[in-house]
Amino acid sequence: MRLITEPYFTQVNNWPKTGRHILAQYDDHSIVVYQAYRPAIGDFAATYGYFGGEFSFDRMSWIKPNFLWMMYRSGWGIKTGQEVVLAIWIKRWAFNEILKAAVHSSFVPQLYPNKSAWQTALKHSQVRLQWDPDRHPLGTKLERRAIQLGLRGQVLAAYAKDWILNIEDISDFVKTQRQNIKSDCEQLITPQEIVYSVFDVETQEKLGLSAWTE
């Protein structure tokens, strides 16, 4: 498996406890995001390295850079239609463009003069931004927020084929770690993640990112 992993307890104390942060595995050129699909879609993507076949370009597709948030949403790969968990390496510049184009799913008064302006922006945006309570491996709600990004239209088309560097089916790894969340997560191994650096000030402010120093 290409993912870099570490014991959960090695990492958890280094993560912010509160605030809005993008936790991810990344380097200078790429960032890992996660998605989970039914076998027909997930197997195709893992085999060919892009999304096609039964993948729908007519609906919004959500990406999540935080592994444990993906585990919560997919029920650790048990939920129907989310049995194949994928780690997807995409170009870092492309991820930054996704963040730049994102519009919040709910009205943020500080960013828009009124609800009508926000609704217009949301209607025309091809990237939807949502902050949700991050989760402990066992599902307990945390004070820290996790990001997920919904893609559609031309952004989704570019993501699905042009921005992907590598796709890996990590379902077996997920299955093993699903067993390891027992016994107080002492044996749990997770992908190595740190707070993602967003250098564009305008994007920082739009996302509502919290300040963080390691």
XYZ file of all heavy atoms in Angstrom, residues 132-184:
430
model
N -18.154 19.747 8.932
C -18.948 18.912 9.835
C -18.099 18.524 11.036
O -16.863 18.538 10.962
C -19.410 17.639 9.112
C -20.295 17.952 7.927
O -21.483 18.242 8.146
O -19.806 17.910 6.779
N -18.727 18.169 12.150
C -17.942 17.709 13.296
C -17.084 16.499 12.925
O -17.605 15.524 12.372
C -19.007 17.328 14.330
C -20.209 18.126 13.936
C -20.167 18.193 12.437
N -15.792 16.597 13.170
C -14.910 15.452 12.955
C -15.288 14.363 13.957
O -16.041 14.607 14.904
C -13.448 15.874 13.137
C -12.488 15.019 12.323
O -12.889 13.940 11.874
O -11.325 15.437 12.162
N -14.769 13.169 13.747
C -15.192 12.040 14.565
C -14.016 11.229 15.107
O -13.004 11.048 14.440
C -16.071 11.110 13.736
C -17.328 11.772 13.196
C -18.389 11.916 14.242
N -19.536 12.691 13.756
C -20.753 12.619 14.289
N -20.984 11.827 15.311
N -21.733 13.361 13.793
N -14.198 10.731 16.320
C -13.315 9.737 16.900
C -13.489 8.460 16.083
O -14.530 8.250 15.455
C -13.729 9.519 18.369
C -12.865 8.545 19.110
N -13.092 7.183 19.075
C -11.791 8.743 19.919
C -12.191 6.577 19.826
N -11.382 7.503 20.350
N -12.482 7.569 16.053
C -12.620 6.320 15.305
C -13.889 5.523 15.643
O -14.430 4.800 14.793
C -11.360 5.539 15.689
C -10.354 6.603 15.976
C -11.122 7.717 16.611
N -14.374 5.649 16.869
C -15.588 4.933 17.273
C -16.856 5.715 16.946
O -17.957 5.248 17.223
C -15.538 4.620 18.773
C -14.468 3.599 19.191
C -14.362 3.531 20.706
C -14.786 2.230 18.619
N -16.703 6.893 16.347
C -17.859 7.652 15.901
C -18.270 8.813 16.781
O -19.169 9.574 16.422
N -17.638 8.972 17.927
C -17.976 10.071 18.827
C -17.671 11.413 18.172
O -16.621 11.594 17.564
C -17.168 9.963 20.145
O -17.350 8.671 20.698
C -17.619 11.013 21.131
N -18.600 12.357 18.303
C -18.436 13.681 17.721
C -17.332 14.457 18.448
O -17.270 14.460 19.669
C -19.757 14.440 17.811
C -19.777 15.765 17.074
C -21.100 16.492 17.286
C -22.265 15.737 16.674
N -23.522 16.554 16.757
N -16.472 15.124 17.665
C -15.392 15.936 18.214
C -15.685 17.418 18.024
O -16.537 17.792 17.211
C -14.063 15.588 17.528
C -13.612 14.124 17.578
C -12.334 13.938 16.759
C -13.402 13.674 19.025
N -14.954 18.262 18.738
C -15.120 19.709 18.577
C -14.442 20.211 17.302
O -14.844 21.231 16.737
C -14.569 20.440 19.798
C -15.380 20.207 21.066
C -14.927 21.105 22.206
O -14.510 22.252 21.922
O -14.977 20.659 23.356
N -13.407 19.521 16.862
C -12.735 19.901 15.616
C -13.665 19.633 14.429
O -14.439 18.680 14.424
C -11.449 19.094 15.462
C -10.632 19.440 14.225
C -9.367 18.592 14.130
N -9.680 17.181 13.979
C -9.313 16.240 14.848
N -8.639 16.561 15.933
N -9.622 14.979 14.636
N -13.577 20.491 13.417
C -14.395 20.326 12.223
C -13.582 19.703 11.082
O -12.393 19.958 10.931
C -14.935 21.684 11.769
C -15.923 22.289 12.750
C -17.320 21.792 12.479
N -18.242 22.098 13.562
C -19.561 22.044 13.436
N -20.097 21.681 12.291
N -20.347 22.310 14.453
N -14.270 18.887 10.288
C -13.655 18.227 9.126
C -14.314 18.757 7.858
O -15.516 19.047 7.839
C -13.835 16.715 9.225
N -13.544 18.850 6.796
C -14.039 19.407 5.542
C -14.412 18.297 4.562
O -13.781 17.234 4.525
C -12.974 20.336 4.901
C -13.593 21.242 3.847
C -11.813 19.526 4.316
C -12.641 22.326 3.338
N -15.466 18.542 3.799
C -15.741 17.712 2.629
C -16.155 18.642 1.499
O -16.726 19.714 1.730
C -16.794 16.650 2.907
C -18.146 17.126 3.360
C -19.127 15.969 3.520
O -18.979 14.907 2.908
N -20.129 16.162 4.350
N -15.835 18.249 0.279
C -16.005 19.103 -0.884
C -16.802 18.373 -1.951
O -16.414 17.275 -2.386
C -14.643 19.531 -1.427
C -13.789 20.348 -0.442
C -12.304 20.179 -0.738
C -14.183 21.828 -0.501
N -17.914 18.960 -2.360
C -18.752 18.357 -3.388
C -18.413 18.935 -4.751
O -18.399 20.159 -4.935
N -18.142 18.069 -5.714
C -17.740 18.498 -7.051
C -18.824 18.164 -8.068
O -19.457 17.114 -8.001
C -16.441 17.792 -7.463
C -15.304 17.724 -6.443
C -14.105 17.014 -7.047
C -14.932 19.118 -5.943
N -18.998 19.051 -9.030
C -19.936 18.790 -10.117
C -19.478 19.530 -11.375
O -18.529 20.313 -11.343
C -21.346 19.217 -9.729
C -21.535 20.705 -9.545
C -22.978 21.025 -9.189
N -23.170 22.456 -9.003
C -24.349 23.021 -8.735
N -25.423 22.269 -8.602
N -24.441 24.330 -8.587
N -20.153 19.276 -12.473
C -19.874 19.985 -13.719
C -18.466 19.776 -14.238
O -17.909 18.678 -14.171
N -17.874 20.843 -14.742
C -16.547 20.764 -15.344
C -15.471 20.426 -14.320
O -14.479 19.763 -14.650
C -16.213 22.080 -16.055
C -17.085 22.376 -17.261
C -16.751 23.699 -17.925
O -16.067 24.542 -17.338
N -17.248 23.899 -19.146
N -15.659 20.881 -13.081
C -14.690 20.553 -12.026
C -14.690 19.048 -11.771
O -13.630 18.424 -11.649
C -14.999 21.330 -10.736
C -14.142 20.807 -9.581
C -14.744 22.813 -10.932
N -15.865 18.438 -11.702
C -15.946 16.994 -11.496
C -15.323 16.243 -12.663
O -14.595 15.265 -12.471
C -17.403 16.571 -11.315
C -17.645 15.065 -11.149
C -16.876 14.507 -9.951
C -19.139 14.771 -11.012
N -15.583 16.701 -13.883
C -15.016 16.046 -15.064
C -13.496 16.114 -15.062
O -12.809 15.134 -15.381
C -15.579 16.691 -16.330
N -12.951 17.278 -14.680
C -11.496 17.432 -14.625
C -10.904 16.574 -13.518
O -9.863 15.927 -13.703
C -11.129 18.900 -14.423
N -11.558 16.575 -12.365
C -11.100 15.746 -11.246
C -11.073 14.276 -11.636
O -10.082 13.568 -11.390
C -12.016 15.954 -10.041
C -11.909 14.873 -8.989
C -10.837 14.828 -8.111
C -12.884 13.869 -8.894
C -10.734 13.828 -7.153
C -12.790 12.870 -7.944
C -11.714 12.847 -7.080
O -11.611 11.848 -6.141
N -12.131 13.800 -12.233
C -12.306 12.366 -12.490
C -11.254 11.782 -13.424
O -10.914 10.601 -13.305
C -13.698 12.112 -13.063
N -10.717 12.602 -14.316
C -9.783 12.053 -15.305
C -8.444 12.786 -15.401
O -7.410 12.167 -15.616
C -10.457 12.034 -16.679
C -11.626 11.060 -16.745
C -12.126 10.859 -18.164
C -13.242 9.809 -18.199
N -13.755 9.591 -19.565
N -8.464 14.108 -15.251
C -7.252 14.884 -15.529
C -6.403 15.181 -14.298
O -5.188 15.362 -14.415
C -7.618 16.218 -16.198
C -8.329 16.013 -17.529
O -8.068 14.994 -18.184
O -9.144 16.876 -17.898
N -7.021 15.267 -13.131
C -6.291 15.700 -11.936
C -5.783 14.563 -11.082
O -5.053 14.773 -10.123
C -7.180 16.624 -11.095
C -7.503 17.918 -11.768
C -6.887 18.439 -12.877
C -8.505 18.860 -11.388
N -7.438 19.644 -13.212
C -8.451 19.933 -12.316
C -9.443 18.907 -10.363
C -9.298 21.032 -12.241
C -10.291 20.013 -10.296
C -10.215 21.056 -11.210
N -6.174 13.353 -11.403
C -5.803 12.190 -10.598
C -4.414 11.683 -10.986
O -4.113 11.497 -12.167
C -6.846 11.064 -10.743
C -8.163 11.491 -10.082
C -6.337 9.758 -10.132
C -9.307 10.524 -10.313
N -3.584 11.451 -9.978
C -2.254 10.886 -10.190
C -2.220 9.388 -9.917
O -1.464 8.652 -10.536
C -1.235 11.593 -9.283
C -1.055 13.099 -9.531
C -0.247 13.721 -8.404
C -0.381 13.323 -10.876
N -3.042 8.945 -8.969
C -3.043 7.523 -8.594
C -4.310 7.212 -7.794
O -4.807 8.068 -7.062
C -1.808 7.212 -7.737
C -1.712 5.744 -7.369
O -1.693 4.880 -8.232
N -1.676 5.453 -6.079
N -4.830 6.016 -7.971
C -5.972 5.544 -7.184
C -5.625 4.180 -6.611
O -5.132 3.303 -7.330
C -7.256 5.424 -8.028
C -7.646 6.781 -8.619
C -8.408 4.874 -7.174
C -8.898 6.746 -9.473
N -5.890 4.014 -5.338
C -5.591 2.754 -4.670
C -6.813 2.262 -3.890
O -7.426 3.023 -3.148
C -4.411 2.957 -3.721
C -3.837 1.673 -3.156
C -2.513 1.932 -2.449
O -2.466 2.776 -1.535
O -1.515 1.280 -2.802
N -7.166 1.015 -4.087
C -8.238 0.390 -3.320
C -7.666 -0.002 -1.955
O -6.806 -0.879 -1.857
C -8.739 -0.849 -4.074
C -9.883 -1.557 -3.343
O -10.152 -1.240 -2.175
O -10.493 -2.460 -3.954
N -8.142 0.661 -0.905
C -7.617 0.395 0.443
C -8.644 -0.355 1.301
O -8.578 -0.321 2.529
C -7.161 1.700 1.141
C -8.332 2.684 1.294
C -6.003 2.334 0.378
C -8.013 3.859 2.210
N -9.572 -1.032 0.640
C -10.652 -1.713 1.367
C -10.131 -2.760 2.349
O -10.678 -2.907 3.454
C -11.623 -2.357 0.376
O -12.149 -1.403 -0.512
N -9.097 -3.502 1.974
C -8.545 -4.516 2.879
C -7.926 -3.865 4.113
O -8.073 -4.365 5.237
C -7.502 -5.372 2.157
C -8.124 -6.316 1.135
O -9.352 -6.550 1.217
O -7.393 -6.815 0.260
N -7.230 -2.755 3.894
C -6.655 -2.008 5.011
C -7.766 -1.514 5.941
O -7.666 -1.625 7.170
C -5.847 -0.826 4.470
C -5.380 0.147 5.516
C -4.341 -0.165 6.371
C -5.989 1.407 5.643
C -3.903 0.737 7.333
C -5.562 2.313 6.593
C -4.520 1.978 7.447
N -8.837 -0.991 5.354
C -9.978 -0.502 6.141
C -10.599 -1.634 6.946
O -10.929 -1.466 8.132
C -11.018 0.157 5.214
C -12.332 0.408 5.965
C -10.481 1.466 4.646
N -10.751 -2.773 6.324
C -11.341 -3.928 7.010
C -10.509 -4.324 8.229
O -11.051 -4.596 9.312
C -11.443 -5.110 6.043
C -12.095 -6.343 6.655
C -12.197 -7.466 5.617
C -12.828 -8.717 6.233
N -12.932 -9.808 5.232
N -9.190 -4.337 8.061
C -8.304 -4.680 9.177
C -8.416 -3.654 10.294
O -8.520 -4.005 11.478
C -6.846 -4.761 8.691
O -6.739 -5.790 7.705
C -5.906 -5.082 9.851
N -8.425 -2.383 9.922
C -8.477 -1.335 10.944
C -9.848 -1.255 11.615
O -9.950 -0.819 12.763
C -8.097 0.019 10.343
C -6.710 0.072 9.722
C -5.647 -0.580 10.594
O -5.593 -0.351 11.805
N -4.804 -1.420 9.991
N -10.871 -1.707 10.915
C -12.196 -1.772 11.536
C -12.181 -2.702 12.741
O -12.844 -2.456 13.746
C -13.227 -2.254 10.499
C -14.663 -2.203 11.002
C -15.649 -2.424 9.873
N -15.607 -3.768 9.337
C -15.347 -4.083 8.071
N -15.097 -3.126 7.196
N -15.339 -5.340 7.670
N -11.391 -3.750 12.654
C -11.231 -4.654 13.797
C -10.356 -4.020 14.876
O -10.541 -4.254 16.072
C -10.607 -5.988 13.337
C -11.428 -6.727 12.293
C -12.851 -7.006 12.753
O -13.071 -7.461 13.877
N -13.816 -6.727 11.895
N -9.426 -3.178 14.435
C -8.473 -2.586 15.375
C -9.033 -1.419 16.181
O -8.361 -0.921 17.089
C -7.205 -2.127 14.636
C -6.340 -3.298 14.209
O -6.490 -4.404 14.721
N -5.440 -3.059 13.266
N -10.229 -0.939 15.834
C -10.813 0.125 16.661
C -11.343 -0.446 17.976
O -11.639 0.303 18.907
C -11.933 0.903 15.929
C -13.113 -0.013 15.582
C -11.378 1.598 14.703
C -14.278 0.736 14.947
N -11.447 -1.773 18.046
C -11.814 -2.413 19.309
C -10.633 -2.299 20.271
O -9.534 -1.912 19.899
C -12.183 -3.875 19.059
C -13.334 -4.054 18.069
C -13.545 -5.506 17.717
C -14.656 -5.660 16.682
N -14.854 -7.070 16.265
N -10.838 -2.639 21.510
C -9.775 -2.554 22.524
C -9.204 -1.145 22.628
O -7.979 -0.940 22.664
C -8.651 -3.568 22.213
O -9.157 -4.883 22.148
N -10.121 -0.150 22.610
C -9.736 1.254 22.808
C -8.759 1.786 21.762
O -7.946 2.668 22.041
C -9.146 1.452 24.208
C -10.158 1.163 25.313
O -11.343 1.484 25.104
O -9.760 0.612 26.354
